[in-house]
Amino acid sequence: LPASPVQAVLVFGISPRLPFDKSYQTFFQLVGTRIAGLLQNEVHRTELAQAAKRFSSLVEANPFGMIIGSLAGDLRYVNPAFLGTLGYSQAEVSAGQVRWDHLTPPEYSAADAGAVEQLRATGRCDVYEKVYLAKDGRRVPILLGASTIGQSASELEIAAFVTDLTPLKIAQEALRKANDELEKKVAERTAALEAEISERKRAEVSLRELTGRLLRTQ
C-alpha cells in the first residue's frame, strides 16, 4: 500500500501475572478484529482515493463534455472542457448557480421530459440532440446521452456525456451555403444558355425569312 497514516492498536506483551485464559483469548480476538477493521477501512479509503484520482484524470482530460447532476435539474460537476464551452466556472456550479434545466431553451422541454422518463424507467436514455444556452447567450448545439449512477436523498443522480456539435453545425452550414451558391450558379448558367439558344433560334428564323424574301424578289 502507498505510504499513509494508518490507525493501529499496539499490544506490547502479555502480563505474566494473569493466566492466559478465555478472557485473554477474547481480549486478543477483539484486538485482532479491531486491527483488521482499521486496516480494511484504510484499504477502502486508499481505493476510493485512487478511484477519485483516476476519475479526475479521465474527465478533466476528456475533450468531450461530462456533467453530473440530478433529474431535478441541478448540476454538481461539469468537466473543464464543457465549462469552457458554456463560459461558467466550477465555483458557479458548486454554488448551485448553474442548472441544466435553466440552460435548456423551452422548445427542448419535451425532449428532456422524454429522456427523464427513460432514465427513471431503465436507468439510461437514448442519445438526442438539444441546445444549451451559454453564459453569454450563445446557443450551443449538443448531442447528449445519460445514465443513472446512484441516488442522493430522494432524487436520482445522473451522469451525462455531451458532445458540442458547434463545429459540425458550422461545417453543415458552410456546406449548405456552398450547395446554395453552386445551385445559384448552375441556375444562372442554365438561364444564360437558354437565352443564348433562344437568341440563336430567333437569328436562324430571321435569316430564313430574309433568305426567303431575297429568293422571291429574284
Side-chain angles (χ1 to χ4, degrees):
L1 293 175
S4 59
V6 179
Q7 299 183 58
V9 176
L10 300 179
V11 180
F12 291 97
I14 300 175
S15 173
R17 299 180 181 179
L18 296 175
F20 190 72
D21 55 13
K22 289 185 178 180
S23 297
Y24 249 33
Q25 293 177 20
T26 301
F27 168 73
F28 278 109
Q29 288 174 354
L30 292 174
V31 169
T33 301
R34 176 57 176 163
I35 292 174
L38 290 172
L39 291 174
Q40 185 176 12
N41 289 339
E42 183 63 23
V43 169
H44 183 60
R45 283 195 295 270
T46 301
E47 290 176 346
L48 287 178
Q50 291 174 342
K53 184 177 180 180
R54 288 194 295 268
F55 172 80
S56 297
S57 298
L58 173 64
V59 299
E60 290 181 8
N62 195 336
F64 301 100
M66 181 177 182
I67 61 177
I68 295 176
S70 76
L71 292 181
D74 60 301
L75 292 177
R76 294 159 194 166
Y77 176 81
V78 182
N79 73 328
F82 200 51
L83 275 178
T85 299
L86 295 177
Y88 289 97
S89 67
Q90 189 60 53
E92 289 174 302
V93 174
S94 300
Q97 299 173 7
V98 186
R99 298 176 56 89
W100 63 259
D101 52 351
H102 293 171
L103 295 175
T104 305
E107 62 265 30
Y108 293 93
S109 58
D112 280 346
V116 168
E117 184 177 348
Q118 283 186 321
L119 286 163
R120 291 191 187 281
T122 67
R124 60 175 299 276
C125 71
D126 295 332
V127 176
Y128 66 105
E129 286 191 38
K130 61 178 289 184
V131 165
Y132 273 157
L133 297 176
K135 190 174 183 179
D136 60 5
R138 288 179 297 109
R139 293 172 65 91
V140 181
I142 61 171
L143 188 69
L144 183 146
S147 62
T148 58
I149 57 174
Q151 186 159 342
S152 176
S154 60
E155 192 52 79
L156 288 172
E157 285 188 308
I158 59 169
F161 284 94
V162 183
T163 302
D164 181 5
L165 297 179
T166 300
L168 176 61
K169 297 298 183 181
I170 291 175
Q172 289 177 339
E173 181 62 16
L175 181 60
R176 185 191 65 78
K177 288 182 178 179
N179 287 336
D180 289 346
E181 186 65 23
L182 179 60
E183 289 179 1
K184 180 180 178 182
K185 289 181 178 179
V186 169
E188 290 174 349
R189 182 56 180 162
T190 301
L193 289 174
E194 289 176 348
E196 183 179 347
I197 292 171
S198 179
E199 183 63 29
R200 287 182 179 180
K201 287 181 178 179
R202 286 196 296 270
E204 289 175 358
V205 170
S206 298
L207 180 60
R208 284 198 298 269
E209 291 177 350
L210 179 59
T211 302
R213 286 197 296 267
L214 290 174
L215 290 175
R216 285 194 296 272
T217 58
Q218 291 180 356

